[in-house]
Amino acid sequence: MPIVWVTGGAGFIGSHLVRHLVHTQPNWHIVTIDALTYAGNLANLADLKDAPNHTFLRVNIADGPAVEKAWEAYPPDRILHLAAESHVDRSILSPLDFVHTNVLGTVTLLEMARKHWKGRTDVLFYQVSTDEVYGSLAPEDFFREGSSYDPRSPYSASKAAADHFVRAYGHTYGIPYLISNCGNNYGPYQFPEKLIPLTITHLMERKPIPVYGTGQNVRDWIYVEDHVRAIALLAEKGQRGHTYLIGARCPRPNLEIVTLLCDLYDELTGARDSRQLITFVKDRPGHDFRYAIEPSPELHALGWQPQVSLHEGLRKTLHWYLQNQAWVNAVRSGEYQSYYALQYGERLR
Ligand code: NAD
Ligand code: TYD
């Protein structure tokens, strides 16, 4: 039975991926490797408690001896690497945390692969990355396979560094690898610091919805389950050494997303005038203007297509948050309050 590690499997995308693999690959043993930072939460995997082909290990990927111990217990044949510090605003407040996990943590995993996978060609190091490594686009332009790296936030610089290390280990030591770069994900279980879940929780609490700058910055959105199906497909059928761009052709200005959420919220709950909560606040320093992805043709050739439209995805997401207020309260109970005060205290004063 192949052992497949999903690092960051207790986070937002990771938990959807673990659930998908546990259900669709009964002959794989899925091992979630996660440090359970503020963003990781075992409640995200609660429904897999009794799954015979899933194991959870609390491990910090930057802690070499801890990773070695996990490797001895469950030697992986494939590593699907998602563990990361993932929020741009936090990277602006404390960049070193991002270097530690995203760069040192990734290289620690690669070192372990170099040591244990010597000469094996049946293994895979799959680096899950972001379109943000390509920098900011002019209007009408698109990221394409082969676009040059131009990271401009501490988050994207740390992910770019990790991508480069993965390629360097592939080139130098022959570790079979694959990288995919995806746009902005949304859906259930996303920590309510990112734009869409932050907007939804503020709608539910009738609090001002902070929109940075003019709200004209563009992000390319994808429903998390569509991303997860692409990762699962590439992990099986993707070409080793290749980089894939994953996207659902859905670039939208932030203000359009927030307005749409306000209108859907009013429609679903009978609330009124939610748009009045929209509040323009001081911009993010170095705010990238536009991301838009031309998805890899090879991905479509393998049979992948996004299945969830923006409207349907936002509806599903709103529904989930409305029904899971206890989850929201639990994940916001700890360190979130001090982060929120630091990030929005001045802006929403
Ligand atoms: P997330 O912040 O929701 O989850 C990250 C997970 O990693 C958490 O469970 C956390 O506990 C774990 N983690 C953090 N540091 C760790 C460490 N040192 N050791 C072990 N575990 C650690 O992130 P997400 O949004 O689910 O993103 C997952 C991956 O996908 C990241 O690599 C991110 O860069 C990438 N990605 C995210 C998006 C997006 O829109 N969210 C888009 C493209 C790519
Ligand atoms: P975010 O969800 O943080 O993802 P990323 O920065 O990785 O793209 O932000 C998405 C967009 O929304 C980005 O342009 C910044 C903007 N934004 C706001 O306008 N207000 C907010 O409170 C947040 C968190 C983001």
Side-chain angles (χ1 to χ4, degrees):
M1 200 178 206
I3 298 178
V4 177
W5 281 16
V6 179
T7 72
F12 163 50
I13 303 173
S15 61
H16 285 272
L17 178 62
V18 168
R19 187 171 299 104
H20 179 87
L21 294 176
V22 162
H23 293 315
T24 58
Q25 300 285 358
N27 296 324
W28 291 6
H29 188 99
I30 312 299
V31 180
T32 293
I33 300 281
D34 200 294
L36 298 183
T37 67
Y38 79 93
N41 191 344
L42 277 184
N44 299 0
L45 298 170
D47 52 322
L48 301 181
K49 196 160 63 356
D50 302 319
N53 62 334
H54 178 242
T55 302
F56 172 78
L57 297 179
R58 187 169 190 174
V59 174
N60 188 321
I61 55 159
D63 177 348
V67 178
E68 179 78 58
K69 206 168 144 209
W71 199 294
E72 278 160 19
Y74 294 95
D77 301 288
R78 290 175 191 179
I79 298 177
L80 311 185
H81 177 38
L82 287 84
E85 288 293 340
S86 68
H87 191 38
V88 173
D89 289 325
R90 286 184 189 256
S91 83
I92 294 168
L93 295 171
S94 40
L96 281 176
D97 293 344
F98 286 68
V99 176
H100 188 75
T101 288
N102 300 1
V103 186
L104 188 62
T106 302
V107 179
T108 302
L109 290 173
L110 287 167
E111 273 293 277
M112 223 51 77
R114 174 160 86 97
K115 178 174 164 193
H116 293 284
W117 279 351
K118 276 198 186 86
R120 277 184 68 181
T121 53
D122 60 330
V123 288
L124 175 66
F125 192 100
Y126 185 148
Q127 161 79 350
V128 175
S129 192
T130 164
D131 62 349
E132 303 191 24
V133 297
Y134 299 115
S136 188
L137 287 167
E140 311 303 325
D141 206 358
F142 286 86
F143 299 135
R144 295 189 169 78
E145 272 185 30
S147 290
S148 2
Y149 275 40
D150 181 22
R152 292 148 41 105
S153 74
Y155 165 66
S156 55
S158 69
K159 290 296 290 186
D163 292 7
H164 288 320
F165 269 107
V166 172
R167 287 196 187 93
Y169 270 64
H171 184 72
T172 310
Y173 306 114
I175 293 176
Y177 74 92
L178 186 159
I179 300 178
S180 61
N181 300 82
C182 184
N184 285 56
N185 286 227
Y186 67 98
Y189 296 108
Q190 187 168 31
F191 194 84
E193 63 191 356
K194 303 261 171 41
L195 179 68
I196 287 180
L198 185 98
T199 299
I200 294 175
T201 52
H202 282 218
L203 279 165
M204 287 161 67
E205 290 155 15
R206 313 311 287 165
K207 284 182 7 194
I209 298 167
V211 172
Y212 297 162
T214 59
Q216 291 313 308
N217 298 61
V218 172
R219 295 295 180 267
D220 196 343
W221 297 96
I222 185 168
Y223 191 65
V224 62
E225 299 283 350
D226 280 334
H227 183 198
V228 156
R229 282 188 306 101
I231 296 174
L233 180 68
L234 292 174
E236 278 206 283
K237 300 196 174 147
Q239 194 186 324
R240 297 337 187 215
H242 201 78
T243 295
Y244 294 84
L245 256 68
I246 303 174
R249 296 185 194 277
C250 186
R252 295 285 189 283
N254 295 333
L255 188 57
E256 187 178 326
I257 294 289
V258 170
T259 308
L260 196 53
L261 280 169
C262 289
D263 295 351
L264 282 173
Y265 184 84
D266 286 356
E267 189 189 311
L268 281 175
T269 65
R272 290 173 61 177
D273 300 331
S274 288
R275 285 186 185 199
Q276 286 179 8
L277 295 173
I278 295 173
T279 308
F280 293 96
V281 300
K282 187 166 153 242
D283 210 350
R284 169 188 282 173
H287 196 175
D288 282 345
F289 180 64
R290 178 166 184 270
Y291 304 147
I293 295 171
E294 180 61 41
S296 294
E298 295 93 334
L299 193 52
H300 296 308
L302 288 172
W304 179 87
Q305 289 291 344
Q307 290 177 354
V308 182
S309 69
L310 180 67
H311 269 74
E312 190 189 346
L314 290 180
R315 248 178 226 282
K316 281 170 180 265
T317 307
L318 263 166
H319 257 295
W320 187 86
Y321 281 88
L322 284 166
Q323 283 165 1
N324 287 276
Q325 179 72 56
W327 180 91
V328 173
N329 293 343
V331 301
R332 291 197 312 196
S333 62
E335 168 278 351
Y336 182 77
Q337 301 306 331
S338 46
Y339 163 74
Y340 186 87
L342 210 56
Q343 182 63 21
Y344 296 103
E346 288 283 321
R347 284 186 163 92
L348 288 176
R349 194 184 294 278

